[in-house]
Structure formats: structure tokens, C-alpha cells
Amino acid sequence: IGDNTTIGNRCLLDARGGLYIGDNVTIASDVHIIGGDHDMNHPDFLPNLVPTVIQDYAWIASRAMVLPSFIGRGAVVGAQALVIKDIGELEIVGGCPGKVIGKRSPDALQYNPSYRPLFG
């Protein structure tokens, strides 16, 4: 977990497959980051663990679920979105499953989220 990264209340960070979270990342409350799944057709129900990478300045909004993927620098995952594939740099995704709904300005990536008050 990088510098100045904030993680909200009641988040689930499943790092069994490997989890990298960059600098200045904002992960809002109730986000679930899942580290893999199981091979449902294998007789031993073997785990399939895959790393998740969240690059600098990404914002994962409240109640989003992130399955193993790569989330690019400055990307935004909307509230209650389901991430099932990689998200490119500065892309904004929303919905279930998450689809690109916009693009973030690269000029917006100069803040430090750790200074923000909880209420105010």
C-alpha cells in the first residue's frame, strides 16, 4: 500500500493472489477487492489466485467490487460498480459489469488524499 493512500471503513482486501495499491489511491467505504476464484470444474475445487494492481491516483468509490484486474493510473471505479476486466489509465467505469463511461482529466492528478477531513 503506497504513500498517502486512504482506505475507508468496512473494506475487504483479499490479497491471496497478490495485491498492489499505489500512491494517492482512494478506496472508499465498503469496497471489496477479491484475490481470485475457484476452478468449479476441478474435482478438488482448486483456487485460482490472480494479482490485482491499483495504480497511483485511482479512486474506487463506495461499495464497488474489484475482481482480479489491473486498474490504471488515475482510473475511477464508480459506486457499486463490478470490475471484471482491466481498466485503462484515466478511464471512468460504472455499472455491473463495469463499462467505460468517461475519461478523467490528467490535470486532476495532483492531490494528496490523506489530508482530507472525514466530514467537512
Side-chain angles (χ1 to χ4, degrees):
I1 298 175
D3 293 335
N4 304 316
T5 288
T6 61
I7 299 173
N9 294 322
R10 299 173 305 277
C11 289
L12 172 72
L13 305 179
D14 177 356
R16 290 175 296 161
L19 177 59
Y20 171 85
I21 301 172
D23 297 334
N24 300 302
V25 172
T26 301
I27 299 175
S29 297
D30 299 305
V31 168
H32 287 189
I33 299 173
I34 307 300
D37 59 14
H38 292 271
D39 182 349
M40 67 183 100
N41 292 316
H42 193 282
D44 293 326
F45 197 57
L46 294 176
N48 178 29
L49 304 177
V50 180
T52 296
V53 174
I54 302 171
Q55 290 197 316
D56 300 347
Y57 290 102
W59 172 24
I60 316 296
S62 295
R63 296 191 174 180
M65 179 176 285
V66 178
L67 300 182
S69 55
F70 177 90
I71 298 177
R73 185 176 189 273
V76 176
V77 176
Q80 296 190 344
L82 172 63
V83 176
I84 61 171
K85 61 182 183 177
D86 293 351
I87 299 171
E89 184 171 315
L90 302 171
E91 288 183 339
I92 302 168
V93 300
C96 184
K99 295 185 191 297
V100 176
I101 58 173
K103 194 85 167 174
R104 191 175 189 190
S105 169
D107 297 333
L109 306 184
Q110 300 176 23
Y111 58 89
N112 172 345
S114 67
Y115 74 88
R116 296 173 191 243
L118 289 175
F119 303 98

